[in-house]
Amino acid sequence: MFHSFIIFYLFCTFVSGLLPLEIKGNRFIKPSTTEGEEGEVFFIKGVDYQPGGSSAYEDDGDSDVLTNASICFRDAYVFQQLGINTIRVYTINPSLNHDECLTILNNAGIYLLLDLSSSSESIYRSDIEASYNYDLLYRFFSVVDAFKDYPNVLGFFVGNEVINDDTSASEDPPYIRAVQRDVKNYIQNNANRTIPVGYSAADVTSLREATFEYLECNIDGDENDLSRSDFFGLNSYEWCSGISDWSTSGYSDINSTFANSSIPIFFSEYGCNTDSPRTFTEVSEGLYGGLIDTLSGGLVYEYSQETSNYGLVTIGSSNGSITELTDFNNLQEQFLKSDIPDILESEVQESTIIECDSSLIEKSYSGFDSNFTLPAVPSGVENMILYGANNTNIGHLIDIDAQTSNYTIYYSNGTEISDPTVVFSADDEIDSLSSSISSAGSDSSTSSASSSGSSSTTSSSSSSTKNAASSNNSPQIGLFGLLAIVITYLM
Ligand SMILES: *[C@@H]1O[C@H](CO)[C@@H](O)[C@H](O)[C@H]1NC(C)=O
Ligand SMILES: *[C@@H]1O[C@H](CO)[C@@H](O)[C@H](O)[C@H]1NC(C)=O
Ligand SMILES: *[C@@H]1O[C@H](CO)[C@@H](O)[C@H](O)[C@H]1NC(C)=O
Ligand SMILES: *[C@@H]1O[C@H](CO)[C@@H](O)[C@H](O)[C@H]1NC(C)=O
Ligand SMILES: *[C@@H]1O[C@H](CO)[C@@H](O)[C@H](O)[C@H]1NC(C)=O
Ligand SMILES: *[C@@H]1O[C@H](CO)[C@@H](O)[C@H](O)[C@H]1NC(C)=O
Ligand SMILES: *[C@@H]1O[C@H](CO)[C@@H](O)[C@H](O)[C@H]1NC(C)=O
Ligand SMILES: *[C@@H]1O[C@H](CO)[C@@H](O)[C@H](O)[C@H]1NC(C)=O
Ligand SMILES: *[C@@H]1O[C@H](CO)[C@@H](O)[C@H](O)[C@H]1NC(C)=O
């Protein structure tokens, strides 16, 4: 058995970028790039990114939405115009190369929330027991391998809207926790940093609280319970701009239901389009207004115009040009109008351990499966967790310069934008993990029980105060301004 002790040394000339986000209590924290300064609360300002719609993805295709650099240069420029810092992507192929796109996003200051599922491999609500199998986890772990070394990966979703009615509520919850357990265990054993893992819940108001309570808690109060969600995504279309306001939207209920959350909560999809074009009043008055104490921002559904009519831009089908829509302008304006507070890490409450309590969950929704004895790991998966899923396609950041989009981009009034060049800002750069960890080999991470080293990444925070997403046994390596030296003792 190994015991790893991590000692961090100051290495001043490295200061140039931002660290991966961490979690403290109910907040994401963006560490400071300046040694000695504490981090700040990070609010997600994002869009769901699914150009072509869900049907555009093919398991055996030779591309996905993060494989074409020209397109990523085009869209990163548009993201910056809009004023966002995060995108959610629903499906990628773990055997393809994503280095260019992830580097472009990284250098442009954009984080990625990634779903692990594909249409053929997901926690399948109506055949849950059969879907929890070796092949599912093989895919999930392969996606982790392909993305774990990109510092701008904010987190992974193990499932989207799995629980959405009485039947799924009565059968599926333990499987979501089981997959979270397996994926977090895999990350702990096979990645160089802790990457948050969570779930994206359906917009079914009656099931919302029970789902959250079931996923938020620690079984038997165990602070190292890996099956707990690190964050909770909520797909919410309750506030329809032009129709609803704070009191009629249900946002007030969201604010009180989640007031005491011990993990970050955000809208993983929002933007009701009953009234179109959308004026997005829920942005400044709701999400970054009345909900600012409770939620950590959200992602608007969705970037491109598809048949469901939620787009912020249209993409020319033959020439790939972008035309910003009125929705785009309105959202951009709302972001500018939003008054997002600067909150220091030290102002955030320490995370708390909430012991799982089946009776509480049944009180929130009778018929909800509140069984906390989780399904056992499928046969063969334990070895994958220990020795890896053998995906040799491990992505990493590369050297790349900012470039002007080769596609034409139009304002909503039809005027062409003259120089659509993404800005790579040194201040916003999230540097590669690898530069600072050459001496922190895989020893530290293949030990499933390494636990003694402090994994704190900022001088002002102690790792024991953070929840599982940032303080579990997997050391947070990859520090700017810090050189990690791992001393491994064989015990
Ligand atoms: C990127 O997409 C464009 C438009 O579909 C295509 O013409 C181009 O060949 C693609 N580039 C790569 C490297 O696949
Ligand atoms: C634009 O096209 C040129 C020529 O094909 C290519 O070298 C360049 O990388 C492209 N730029 C972007 C941003 O895609
Ligand atoms: C950690 O990062 C180093 C340097 O990039 C790499 O060589 C090593 O394989 C990584 N270890 C794991 C477990 O990903
Ligand atoms: C949150 O905590 C406060 C103070 O402990 C308590 O009064 C309130 O009922 C709690 N709210 C919820 C939704 O649990
Ligand atoms: C939302 O809840 C917080 C407590 O978590 C409270 O301070 C705030 O006033 C509430 N906002 C509104 C608009 O009611
Ligand atoms: C691209 O195609 C769209 C229609 O899909 C058209 O409106 C636009 O003018 C075209 N742009 C260029 C530069 O060809
Ligand atoms: C809880 O789940 C476990 C594992 O699937 C199962 O063995 C047990 O029978 C379940 N308990 C109840 C009360 O359903
Ligand atoms: C990975 O490769 C090793 C050696 O070839 C093999 O023993 C192991 O079964 C493979 N694991 C998976 C998950 O494919
Ligand atoms: C179109 O909108 C852009 C951006 O708001 C503006 O700079 C430009 O002058 C407008 N063009 C026309 C013809 O109104």
Side-chain angles (χ1 to χ4, degrees):
M1 185 195 235
F2 292 100
H3 260 238
S4 301
F5 296 93
I6 317 293
I7 300 168
F8 296 111
Y9 274 61
L10 210 63
F11 196 69
C12 299
T13 55
F14 267 40
V15 175
S16 68
L18 301 172
L19 290 166
L21 298 183
E22 298 167 9
I23 291 177
K24 178 184 182 188
N26 69 341
R27 292 304 195 185
F28 293 109
I29 304 288
K30 191 173 190 174
S32 171
T33 52
T34 309
E35 156 59 23
E37 281 181 17
E38 59 174 309
E40 286 191 21
V41 169
F42 177 88
F43 288 93
I44 295 172
K45 279 198 287 176
V47 298
D48 296 310
Y49 183 70
Q50 191 177 212
S54 56
S55 55
Y57 177 83
E58 287 165 23
D59 278 331
D60 49 6
D62 58 7
S63 68
D64 62 39
V65 299
L66 295 174
T67 51
N68 187 316
S70 300
I71 291 173
C72 289
F73 271 119
R74 178 194 71 189
D75 292 340
Y77 171 80
V78 178
F79 297 156
Q80 288 187 331
Q81 278 237 310
L82 181 58
I84 62 169
N85 58 24
T86 308
I87 60 170
R88 174 186 186 180
V89 168
Y90 292 88
T91 321
I92 59 81
N93 180 337
S95 57
L96 300 177
N97 188 313
H98 304 99
D99 289 349
E100 288 177 313
C101 281
L102 265 288
T103 304
I104 292 164
L105 293 172
N106 172 76
N107 295 3
I110 308 287
Y111 289 91
L112 173 68
L113 278 160
L114 182 62
D115 285 73
L116 297 173
S117 309
S118 72
S119 47
S120 59
E121 292 290 354
S122 65
I123 312 178
Y124 186 48
R125 115 171 33 95
S126 43
D127 197 5
I128 193 82
E129 194 177 343
S131 75
Y132 179 54
N133 60 33
Y134 181 94
D135 290 346
L136 175 84
L137 292 163
Y138 177 73
R139 175 192 159 82
F140 281 20
F141 296 166
S142 301
V143 176
V144 169
D145 281 337
F147 283 80
K148 66 188 177 184
D149 278 354
Y150 300 124
N152 55 324
V153 170
L154 199 171
F156 295 118
F157 292 108
V158 298
N160 183 51
E161 306 191 349
V162 178
I163 302 168
N164 72 346
D165 60 11
D166 280 344
T167 310
S168 49
S170 69
E171 293 168 359
D172 300 354
Y175 290 88
I176 297 172
R177 280 196 80 117
V179 177
Q180 287 181 164
R181 171 196 65 198
D182 302 341
V183 170
K184 287 165 72 172
N185 204 355
Y186 189 81
I187 290 171
Q188 192 167 294
N189 280 281
N190 297 282
N192 274 322
R193 70 168 169 114
T194 306
I195 306 170
V197 174
Y199 172 71
S200 178
D203 192 7
V204 182
T205 318
S206 56
L207 294 167
R208 192 163 63 196
E209 189 169 0
T211 305
F212 170 70
E213 285 167 349
Y214 183 81
L215 295 174
E216 175 201 26
C217 64
N218 295 59
I219 296 173
D220 299 328
D222 173 10
E223 66 173 322
N224 296 318
D225 176 6
L226 292 180
S227 69
R228 177 196 206 209
S229 289
D230 293 325
F231 58 78
F232 190 68
L234 204 53
N235 295 345
S236 170
Y237 294 88
E238 288 183 278
W239 183 319
C240 302
S241 54
I243 300 170
S244 330
D245 58 21
W246 176 264
S247 51
T248 60
S249 63
Y251 272 34
S252 177
D253 289 339
I254 292 176
N255 197 45
S256 49
T257 301
F258 298 112
N260 299 337
S261 175
S262 63
I263 57 174
I265 304 178
F266 57 89
F267 285 155
S268 33
E269 293 177 4
Y270 75 100
C272 167
N273 68 351
T274 305
D275 210 24
S276 178
R278 296 175 285 183
T279 53
F280 287 112
T281 47
E282 74 267 44
V283 172
S284 65
E285 295 170 31
L287 188 52
Y288 306 101
L291 289 177
I292 198 82
D293 293 332
T294 311
L295 263 58
S296 296
L299 303 120
V300 170
Y301 194 80
E302 67 179 319
Y303 180 66
S304 54
Q305 186 69 307
E306 310 296 340
T307 50
S308 54
N309 198 36
Y310 282 94
L312 301 170
V313 305
T314 54
I315 302 177
S317 53
S318 57
N319 58 26
S321 69
I322 294 282
T323 305
E324 297 171 357
L325 298 172
T326 305
D327 280 30
F328 181 96
N329 297 342
N330 291 347
L331 179 59
Q332 185 184 45
E333 210 172 282
Q334 282 290 328
F335 281 144
L336 291 171
K337 237 171 116 173
S338 298
D339 190 16
I340 299 181
D342 296 324
I343 305 171
L344 291 173
E345 179 176 357
S346 57
E347 297 171 61
V348 178
Q349 296 240 314
E350 310 296 2
S351 73
T352 42
I353 305 292
I354 308 216
E355 184 165 353
C356 294
D357 176 357
S358 296
S359 65
L360 178 78
I361 286 143
E362 276 149 26
K363 217 170 80 190
S364 294
Y365 195 82
S366 72
F368 198 94
D369 184 344
S370 60
N371 187 351
F372 285 105
T373 304
L374 305 183
V377 182
S379 159
V381 170
E382 195 63 56
N383 274 342
M384 253 197 312
I385 289 173
L386 288 174
Y387 307 116
N390 287 358
N391 183 358
T392 52
N393 180 43
I394 315 287
H396 56 271
L397 297 185
I398 55 175
D399 276 336
I400 201 164
D401 292 325
Q403 286 177 40
T404 305
S405 171
N406 283 340
Y407 296 97
T408 314
I409 302 178
Y410 303 94
Y411 291 115
S412 58
N413 62 14
T415 302
E416 182 180 334
I417 297 178
S418 58
D419 182 26
T421 308
V422 65
V423 177
F424 284 2
S425 147
D427 282 350
D428 251 349
E429 237 165 73
I430 307 155
D431 273 354
S432 165
L433 285 172
S434 51
S435 55
S436 57
I437 50 171
S438 46
S439 55
S442 52
D443 281 353
S444 65
S445 45
T446 50
S447 161
S448 57
S450 65
S451 61
S452 41
S454 163
S455 58
S456 170
T457 56
T458 59
S459 50
S460 57
S461 65
S462 95
S463 64
S464 61
T465 63
K466 295 182 182 170
N467 73 15
S470 57
S471 74
N472 73 13
N473 304 335
S474 187
Q476 289 256 351
I477 306 174
L479 310 179
F480 302 103
L482 297 175
L483 176 63
I485 297 175
V486 180
I487 302 166
T488 303
Y489 289 89
L490 254 175
M491 307 244 322

